[in-house]
Amino acid sequence: MGDATEQDSPSEFPPSFEEMRDHLGEARRNILTLLFAADNRAMNTSELRERSNVPSGSIRHHTSRLENWELIEEIDRVYTGRGARAIVWKLTDRGEEFCSDGLDVSASSLVRPEDFEEVQEEVAELRDDVENIKEAMVHIAVEAGGVREETAQDWLDE
């Protein structure tokens, strides 16, 4: 990969929010969106790469550009179990401001459709588990002689 292209290089440093929006691109937008949505506004490079769908060969280029724009900063390095330690990136105050005012992050961009589908499946499984537990408890209560059959059936019908 060569040097940054003219399209990728805003004219002033640090660039204005407007210039950054014009040169942001999907990969950098995804990285900023993930950091903005993170509880502590920080994530390591491995997490960012996996969740933003940025290829491993490109993630460093994009994080370097965002760092040069003073939107993110390296705050730590952590072992992720895959060899080298991953850089932990955090939004700077300027990055917070850009994401709040200039990124136009919608709530829908913070939640992936797969996340919603997974939650729906988990809720359905939990409901099934609750029903199974309820039936088992009622059965045990009847067998132990603490509940009449009619009362147990009423409980199960609720």
Side-chain angles (χ1 to χ4, degrees):
M1 197 180 313
D3 293 340
T5 63
E6 186 176 322
Q7 171 192 1
D8 206 22
S9 302
S11 60
E12 60 183 73
F13 184 83
S16 68
F17 285 179
E18 184 177 326
E19 283 184 299
M20 285 188 291
R21 273 193 307 275
D22 291 345
H23 300 288
L24 194 59
E26 184 179 351
R28 292 181 200 137
R29 177 178 296 280
N30 289 347
I31 292 168
L32 288 172
T33 300
L34 287 168
L35 287 170
F36 190 65
D39 289 337
N40 59 355
R41 304 289 203 240
M43 294 177 83
N44 72 51
T45 304
S46 294
E47 293 169 319
L48 286 172
R49 182 180 38 76
E50 290 169 10
R51 295 190 59 203
S52 68
N53 296 320
V54 174
S56 57
S58 300
I59 192 76
R60 183 66 186 149
H61 166 75
H62 295 299
T63 54
S64 291
R65 176 70 59 198
L66 293 171
E67 185 177 35
N68 289 340
W69 289 351
E70 300 177 354
L71 298 178
I72 66 173
E73 63 186 344
E74 178 182 337
I75 61 166
D76 199 3
R77 290 185 183 241
V78 295
Y79 179 71
T80 60
R82 298 183 202 134
R85 293 167 28 122
I87 297 171
V88 177
W89 297 101
K90 181 174 176 63
L91 285 177
T92 62
D93 291 342
R94 186 168 196 256
E96 288 270 346
E97 184 181 349
F98 178 74
C99 290
S100 295
D101 299 337
L103 191 55
D104 192 30
V105 176
S106 66
S108 63
S109 65
L110 301 177
V111 178
R112 301 175 307 180
E114 311 86 76
D115 295 338
F116 184 70
E117 291 167 7
E118 287 175 20
V119 169
Q120 283 183 313
E121 289 172 13
E122 289 178 19
V123 167
E125 289 173 14
L126 288 171
R127 285 185 176 146
D128 289 344
D129 290 347
V130 167
E131 280 303 310
N132 291 335
I133 291 168
K134 180 179 172 182
E135 289 174 15
M137 290 178 70
V138 168
H139 178 72
I140 291 169
V142 169
E143 291 296 315
V147 176
R148 295 187 335 225
E149 284 281 340
E150 302 81 35
T151 303
Q153 192 57 50
D154 288 344
W155 288 350
L156 291 174
D157 291 340
E158 291 178 354

